[in-house]
Amino acid sequence: MPQRRSRPRLKLLFLGTGNAFNEDGRGSQCLWVEPRGRPPFLVDAGPTALAAMQRAGVDPGRLSAAFFTHLHGDHTAGWPFILLHAAFVALRSRPLRVYGPRGTRRRLERLATACYEDLLVGGKLPFPLEHAELPVARACGLRGPPGVRFDVVPVEHHPTSIGYRLRAGGVTVGVSGDTRWCPGLEELGAGCDLLVVECTDVRRPRYAHVSLEEVRAGLPRLGARRVALVHVSDDVARAFRRRPIPGVTVAEDGMILGL
Ligand SMILES: [Zn+2]
């Protein structure tokens, strides 16, 4: 996939490209999105998110927000440690925004409290945590963090599963989160400069996921200029290398794409 070398309008850093089992040592789902001249934000924060940011040399203290695609632990369980870092290392005072499906606030508070029982009590967090809970329903043109507008499209994986179409700096990036191949996924991809799609299996998907063969067969229906596959194992990466799909790449931990 070609990359522009100078001043991309939007930078994507794939902090974690693995599945719930961290197969082949891949990190849990976490995508760093940085529009030019704007603060970065995350999409999902699986258990390895903070370690991945430290390894990549990006500063979690710069984050303006996090979007969550659904409430499974491999997409959310890194959140308590991001809060801990914000409170005790970054010494954050600016608000941190959270976007996610209904139930996100309660789930994230329970996670944080299970890890550190007093983290959220008595004003321990020295910054406002602002939650925007989204119905699992189509919505367009919502206002995100600074410089970002986004659409929400329900997808099919868990009752809370939503995909995001994020627009910033004239670039549109879709992120499927976990989903089976469904009409919502095809709707999400329409008009995207890049669509980040989960691809858990080579052939028959386990649970409600997408397979590489479904991507191969259905790519024209996604309507995105380019596709990056995440939530993968090395089996998927090897099968892809044996038989690549034009316009598609398999993301690796630490990979940067400029758009
Ligand atoms: Zn999931």
Side-chain angles (χ1 to χ4, degrees), residues 135-252:
V136 182
R138 278 172 187 74
C140 287
L142 303 177
R143 191 183 295 274
V148 180
R149 293 276 182 161
F150 67 100
D151 307 330
V152 173
V153 181
V155 291
E156 298 178 12
H157 170 76
H158 180 266
T160 62
S161 287
I162 50 179
Y164 294 102
R165 198 188 294 113
L166 303 152
R167 282 189 290 276
V171 177
T172 302
V173 173
V175 183
S176 73
D178 287 3
T179 183
R180 74 171 93 240
W181 192 284
C182 62
L185 178 62
E186 297 179 4
E187 181 184 337
L188 186 69
C192 285
D193 296 292
L194 178 76
L195 180 64
V196 180
V197 180
E198 76 115 293
C199 184
T200 305
D201 295 287
V202 176
R203 289 183 190 82
R204 179 184 288 270
R206 290 169 282 182
Y207 195 59
H209 289 296
V210 169
S211 75
L212 185 61
E213 292 316 307
E214 287 174 318
V215 173
R216 195 182 301 285
L219 185 64
R221 298 200 304 277
L222 290 179
R225 289 182 56 217
R226 300 193 229 168
V227 168
L229 303 180
V230 296
H231 211 266
V232 297
S233 64
D234 283 357
D235 275 354
V236 171
R238 268 191 298 274
F240 180 84
R241 279 197 299 274
R242 279 196 298 273
R243 205 176 149 216
I245 308 169
V248 178
T249 192
V250 175
E252 300 291 336

Side-chain angles (χ1 to χ4, degrees), residues 14 19 21 46-47 64 78 98 129 134-135 139 147 168 183 214 224 236 245:
F14 292 83
N19 55 34
F21 312 111
S64 62
V98 176
L129 200 49
L134 306 161
E214 287 174 318
V236 171
I245 308 169

Side-chain angles (χ1 to χ4, degrees), residues 70 72 74-75 157 178:
H70 66 301
H72 276 158
D74 57 315
H75 295 248
H157 170 76
D178 287 3

Side-chain angles (χ1 to χ4, degrees), residues 51-82:
M53 283 185 266
Q54 302 282 24
R55 192 178 302 121
V58 292
D59 179 5
R62 295 179 55 224
L63 291 169
S64 62
F67 288 80
F68 290 93
T69 60
H70 66 301
L71 300 183
H72 276 158
D74 57 315
H75 295 248
T76 56
W79 187 242
F81 304 96
I82 293 172

Side-chain angles (χ1 to χ4, degrees), residues 53-145:
M53 283 185 266
Q54 302 282 24
R55 192 178 302 121
V58 292
D59 179 5
R62 295 179 55 224
L63 291 169
S64 62
F67 288 80
F68 290 93
T69 60
H70 66 301
L71 300 183
H72 276 158
D74 57 315
H75 295 248
T76 56
W79 187 242
F81 304 96
I82 293 172
L83 292 183
L84 199 70
H85 182 280
F88 294 103
V89 179
L91 304 178
R92 184 183 189 97
S93 58
R94 290 173 296 117
L96 185 58
R97 298 183 193 177
V98 176
Y99 303 85
R102 56 179 159 73
T104 297
R105 179 175 191 156
R106 179 173 152 80
R107 175 64 63 90
L108 296 181
E109 286 180 350
R110 285 169 62 192
L111 273 171
T113 301
C115 293
Y116 301 98
E117 66 273 15
D118 56 352
L119 184 61
L120 300 181
V121 298
K124 267 253 171 59
L125 288 185
F127 57 91
L129 200 49
E130 301 173 349
H131 294 84
E133 293 206 346
L134 306 161
V136 182
R138 278 172 187 74
C140 287
L142 303 177
R143 191 183 295 274

